[in-house]
């Protein structure tokens, strides 16, 4: 495991891995998801895939306070064929439901500092985020957990493992490390599933990487994003 002398150094390492460490900058990531329904009394059921991007802006507010704001665009893909789709089967209700693009543009963002992070639209309370760095062969890995914001249901959590070459991490001139990542996302049933109050939640397994520009995106995804959004 790699430990840091102080919380500021650990925060800076975290930002370099997941975002970038600069006064103001942006980060683009591309990801794929596999989504499972987790009913209360049944085994988890895979139902669909997502492919998407996250575009985030990080701004240093001073005194190691960083404001993070992110936008996401994701398209559903059929679980079996991998093709883009706008319908999926809800295996619990037996009904076919419409699933449109997932577009997240209204999240007001978070502020991060050595104490943890807080939601901009919250009550000012900081949450301490679990983060552990470890060295594996030639890689530096970051295990992290982000719990539920105050306005989210209890069943809400994101965890991930990101990595880059250790030599890149030790290069002081690299403010943004070229990381890959995998993780899991636990969240409430979305409205489009029309669960009618049935108990349970969704679990998403994802992987992805930072990219330098939209030109690195697969042409099928990029063409649709440019055409539709």
């Amino acid at each position: 495991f790699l430990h840091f002398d102080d919380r500021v150094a650990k925060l800076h390492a975290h930002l370099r891995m997941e975002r970038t460490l600069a006064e103001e900058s942006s980060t683009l990531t591309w990801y794929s998801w596999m989504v499972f329904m987790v009913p209360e009394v049944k085994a988890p059921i895979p139902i669909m895939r997502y492919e998407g991007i996250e575009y985030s802006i990080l701004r240093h507010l001073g005194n190691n306070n960083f404001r993070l704001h992110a936008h996401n665009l994701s398209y559903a893909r059929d679980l079996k064929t991998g093709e883009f789709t706008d319908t999926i089967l809800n295996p619990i209700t037996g009904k076919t439901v419409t699933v449109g693009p997932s577009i997240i543009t209204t999240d007001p963002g978070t502020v991060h500092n050595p104490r943890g992070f807080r939601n901009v639209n919250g009550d000012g309370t900081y949450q301490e985020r679990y983060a552990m760095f470890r060295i594996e062969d030639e890689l530096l890995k970051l295990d992290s957990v982000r719990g539920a914001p105050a306005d989210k249901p209890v069943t809400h959590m994101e965890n991930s493992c990101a990595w880059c070459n250790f030599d890149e991490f030790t290069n002081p001139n690299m403010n943004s490390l070229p990381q890959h990542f995998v993780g899991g996302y636990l969240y409430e049933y979305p409205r489009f599933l029309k669960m009618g109050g049935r108990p349970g939640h969704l679990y998403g397994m994802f992987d992805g990487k930072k990219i330098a520009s939209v030109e690195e995106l697969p042409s099928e995804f990029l063409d649709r994003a440019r055409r539709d959004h």
Side-chain angles (χ1 to χ4, degrees):
F1 294 100
L2 179 64
H3 299 284
F4 295 85
D5 294 333
D6 58 61
R7 291 192 171 204
V8 172
K10 187 175 183 180
L11 171 66
H12 288 183
H14 200 147
L15 292 175
R16 288 176 67 206
M17 179 71 85
E18 290 194 346
R19 310 292 174 177
T20 183
L21 185 63
E23 290 300 303
E24 183 166 350
S25 56
S26 62
T27 302
L28 183 63
T29 57
W30 169 65
Y31 52 79
S32 293
W33 280 52
M34 187 172 177
V35 183
F36 299 78
M37 292 187 75
V38 187
E40 193 170 74
V41 294
K42 293 186 178 182
I45 309 166
I47 59 170
M48 61 181 292
R49 302 186 67 93
Y50 272 119
E51 180 183 9
I53 55 173
E54 179 178 272
Y55 176 75
S56 62
I57 296 176
L58 189 74
R59 186 171 74 252
H60 186 206
L61 305 177
N63 196 28
N64 287 303
N65 287 277
F66 294 85
R67 169 75 182 273
L68 174 64
H69 192 131
H71 289 176
N72 292 70
L73 170 64
S74 306
Y75 297 122
R77 286 187 177 273
D78 184 83
L79 184 67
K80 295 181 179 179
T81 68
E83 300 295 326
F84 285 132
T85 185
D86 56 9
T87 61
I88 64 167
L89 175 68
N90 181 329
I92 300 300
T93 65
K95 296 180 179 179
T96 297
V97 296
T98 300
V99 51
S102 176
I103 304 172
I104 303 174
T105 59
T106 58
D107 187 340
T110 52
V111 173
H112 298 251
N113 65 28
R115 287 184 291 166
F117 74 96
R118 67 174 177 85
N119 293 288
V120 172
N121 64 340
D123 61 5
T125 301
Y126 279 87
Q127 298 182 51
E128 185 173 355
R129 181 175 182 179
Y130 177 85
M132 178 65 79
F133 288 83
R134 53 190 172 92
I135 299 172
E136 182 181 306
D137 299 325
E138 75 282 2
L139 302 176
L140 177 70
K141 293 189 171 183
L142 167 61
D143 299 319
S144 64
V145 178
R146 182 171 65 89
D151 61 339
K152 292 288 186 179
V154 175
T155 307
H156 188 97
M157 184 192 74
E158 180 180 358
N159 74 289
S160 63
C161 176
W163 65 89
C164 68
N165 287 326
F166 186 76
D167 288 346
E168 295 168 335
F169 173 74
T170 58
N171 183 346
N173 297 316
M174 295 189 72
N175 282 332
S176 180
L177 299 170
Q179 56 113 328
H180 289 68
F181 55 85
V182 297
Y185 196 73
L186 194 67
Y187 59 115
E188 62 277 11
Y189 285 140
R191 286 191 296 271
F192 73 80
L193 283 175
K194 299 180 179 179
M195 294 303 293
R198 293 174 177 84
H201 51 271
L202 296 186
Y203 174 76
M205 183 186 72
F206 60 83
D207 71 279
K209 62 180 180 178
K210 284 183 187 176
I211 58 176
S213 74
V214 296
E215 302 305 325
E216 295 184 30
L217 291 168
S219 58
E220 184 183 28
F221 180 92
L222 182 58
D223 290 345
R224 180 174 178 181
R226 282 174 165 165
R227 183 185 70 243
D228 298 345
H229 297 96

